Amino acid sequence: PLLVQLSIIYFGLFGAISIPRLYLFGFIDISRFIPGVVALALNSSAYVAEIFRAGILAVDAGQMEAGRSLGMSRIQTTIHVILPQAMKNILPAIGNEFITMVMETSIIQFLGIGDLMYDTGIVITSTYDPLPCYYISAIIYLALNIILGKGLNIFEGRLRKSER
């Protein structure tokens, strides 16, 4: 699970490596932010690598043979024939992974980094009224995902135009 990976990276890897205090704009301490980004990137990179592998393998093997028969090298065929076709298969899955990553960023609150859910918890402890706070957080996450989804739909639509 991502929480276990986050704990291992924060307490294990970055516990052994002394990170200097880094300040953004002179007052925002981001030294706990870096292990969070590393954990999220490592977790997501495995999924993204599998998405790319599956997308490339989804292209028919005859496409490589066709490029090679036209006199293209293996690298040229991969870049100019295989990858453009694979991108049409890869893009929807990458978009889903990106949206999932937005949702998973709330786990970094366990490092004491203020994100949307961390700040929601702070407001709940001062108002003692959790439901409105969770509703607002849900609406913000929903808005983010709708915006990301619409952007991906526009991009996928542009890719589909090249098929016609």
Side-chain angles (χ1 to χ4, degrees), residues 77-136:
T77 305
T78 302
I79 291 172
H80 297 294
V81 177
I82 304 294
L83 288 180
Q85 293 178 50
M87 287 307 292
K88 292 178 184 176
N89 296 329
I90 292 170
L91 187 65
I94 289 289
N96 289 340
E97 180 62 29
F98 187 63
I99 289 172
T100 301
M101 180 61 87
V102 169
M103 299 305 237
E104 287 177 346
T105 57
S106 65
I107 203 160
I108 63 171
Q109 71 178 327
F110 292 104
L111 298 181
I113 298 171
D115 72 319
L116 182 60
M117 289 306 294
Y118 182 81
D119 293 337
T120 299
I122 291 172
V123 172
I124 289 171
T125 57
S126 55
T127 62
Y128 299 110
D129 197 9
L131 283 180
C133 298
Y134 287 134
Y135 290 149
I136 291 169

Side-chain angles (χ1 to χ4, degrees), residues 5-63:
Q5 293 174 9
L6 182 67
S7 300
I8 289 171
I9 289 172
Y10 182 70
F11 294 113
L13 180 66
F14 284 92
I17 300 171
S18 178
I19 299 177
R21 289 276 187 218
L22 301 171
Y23 292 97
L24 185 64
F25 304 119
F27 61 91
I28 300 173
D29 184 12
I30 62 168
S31 60
R32 285 181 277 180
F33 178 74
I34 293 171
V37 169
V38 169
L40 289 170
L42 286 175
N43 181 274
S44 183
S45 66
Y47 292 112
V48 170
E50 180 60 26
I51 289 168
F52 271 92
R53 186 192 69 78
I56 290 170
L57 290 179
V59 177
D60 187 35
Q63 297 294 321

